[in-house]
Amino acid sequence: MTEDKWIQEAEVRAGSPAVVHHVIVFIERGGGMKYHQPQMAYAPGMPARKLPKGQAIRLPAGCKLRFQVHYTPNGTKQDDLSCVGFKYADPRTVTHEVVGGAAGVMAFAIPPGDPNFRMVATQKLPVDTVMIGMNPHMHVRGKSFKYEVKYPDGREEVLLDVPRYDFNWQLWYNLVEPKLLPKGTVLRCTAYFDNSADNPSNPDPTQRVTWGEQTSDEMMFGFYSTVEPRDDAPSPPTKLNSLLQIGRAHV
C-alpha cells in the first residue's frame, strides 16, 4: 500500500471451497502482523464484512496483506486461487478504527463418545473496550457457543448465545448498538462439543480429539471485533465517541 486506505467492506473468497478450510487476511506492517484475529476472513457460510458508516479497518501506507490458508485434502487434485476484495471508505467519514481480539483454548482432549464436552475461555479486558461483533469458531463437533461478560461491579450479562452451532455457517454476529465493556470486565466464552455417534457430522466418534488445523481436529476460539477512536479523525464526534468518553470517565 502506497497510502493509507480505510476498508468499509471486505469479502474473502475461497478459490476451491472443496478443500479450503479457511482463509485469514492479516495486515502486516514493519515485518509483523498488526492484527492477530480475522477481521477479514473466509470460512464456510461467512458473509462479507460490511461495517457501519464511520467505522473501518485501516490499511496503513507501506503495509502488506498476508494470506493464511488452511487446506483439508479430499483425495482429488485441486487448484486454488483465493482472493480478497475491498470497498474503501471516504477517509473524511471515518471516526473509528475496527480492531479486535479472541479468547480461546488450545490445550484440550475430548474423550471418545462424549456428547457434551465443555470448554471455557476467559479474558480480562485491560482497558475500556467497545464491542461491536462476535464470531465463534469450532469445527464439526462444535455444538453450542456463548459469550458472557462479568463487569467490575459484579453484574453479569450474556452478549451472544448460539445454541445450535453449525460449522457450515460461521457467521459474524454484529451488535445493534456498540457495547461498552469497562476496564476489568471479564469476557467468558463457553463452548460445548458433541463427539458422540449421534452427531451426524462427526467423522469418528471413537477418536480422542485434540486441537488441530484439520476439520477432523477441533478448535475453540471466540473472536470479536472492537472499535477505537481514530486520533486523526477529521469528522466531528459521534454517539460512539461519546460512549467511549463516558467509559473513560468511569475508570
Side-chain angles (χ1 to χ4, degrees):
M1 295 293 166
T2 57
E3 61 181 0
D4 282 6
K5 292 286 189 180
W6 292 93
I7 299 171
Q8 189 79 60
E9 301 182 18
E11 182 176 9
V12 183
R13 293 183 179 178
S16 180
V19 295
V20 174
H21 175 273
H22 76 247
V23 182
I24 301 176
V25 181
F26 290 104
I27 299 171
E28 183 181 281
R29 179 169 61 182
M33 290 182 293
K34 178 174 173 57
Y35 306 131
H36 295 270
Q37 74 103 357
Q39 296 302 319
M40 299 180 290
Y42 160 84
M46 185 176 290
R49 292 297 308 274
K50 297 183 179 181
L51 300 170
K53 185 177 180 180
Q55 302 175 23
I57 299 168
R58 185 196 294 263
L59 286 180
C63 76
K64 296 179 181 179
L65 300 178
R66 178 180 293 273
F67 285 68
Q68 180 206 76
V69 188
H70 284 184
Y71 295 100
T72 298
N74 65 1
T76 303
K77 182 180 177 180
Q78 301 283 327
D79 292 318
D80 176 55
L81 185 62
S82 294
C83 61
V84 62
F86 302 139
K87 285 188 177 180
Y88 294 119
D90 182 341
R92 296 170 297 180
T93 68
V94 178
T95 59
H96 288 79
E97 182 175 356
V98 175
V99 290
V105 179
M106 296 184 69
F108 58 82
I110 306 175
D114 193 324
N116 209 38
F117 186 81
R118 181 173 180 260
M119 291 188 210
V120 179
T122 61
Q123 186 176 92
K124 189 173 185 178
L125 302 178
V127 297
D128 281 4
T129 301
V130 176
M131 181 85 73
I132 62 170
M134 289 151 281
N135 169 231
H137 177 68
M138 301 182 285
H139 293 174
V140 293
R141 294 174 179 85
K143 184 177 181 179
S144 66
F145 205 104
K146 183 183 291 187
Y147 289 76
E148 300 170 279
V149 289
K150 184 174 183 179
Y151 295 103
D153 63 6
R155 291 181 300 116
E156 297 190 10
E157 183 179 8
V158 176
L159 298 184
L160 175 67
D161 187 2
V162 181
R164 292 179 296 278
Y165 176 84
D166 188 337
F167 176 81
N168 297 299
W169 293 99
Q170 299 185 51
L171 306 176
W172 273 100
Y173 295 86
N174 299 312
L175 297 173
V176 175
E177 293 286 342
K179 173 68 69 171
L180 173 64
L181 304 178
K183 176 183 177 180
T185 297
V186 176
L187 173 67
R188 181 172 65 246
C189 294
T190 304
Y192 284 88
F193 295 80
D194 183 355
N195 193 26
S196 73
D198 292 331
N199 177 0
S201 299
N202 194 347
D204 188 351
T206 68
Q207 292 298 310
R208 174 178 174 270
V209 183
T210 58
W211 190 95
E213 297 175 348
Q214 293 297 310
T215 306
S216 57
D217 302 317
E218 270 303 336
M219 288 189 182
M220 188 282 200
F221 288 112
F223 297 113
Y224 57 86
S225 290
T226 62
V227 288
E228 298 175 352
R230 179 185 170 191
D231 294 335
D232 58 345
S235 300
T238 64
K239 180 180 178 182
L240 196 56
N241 291 83
S242 301
L243 183 63
L244 282 160
Q245 294 300 329
I246 291 170
R248 290 198 183 99
H250 286 149
V251 173

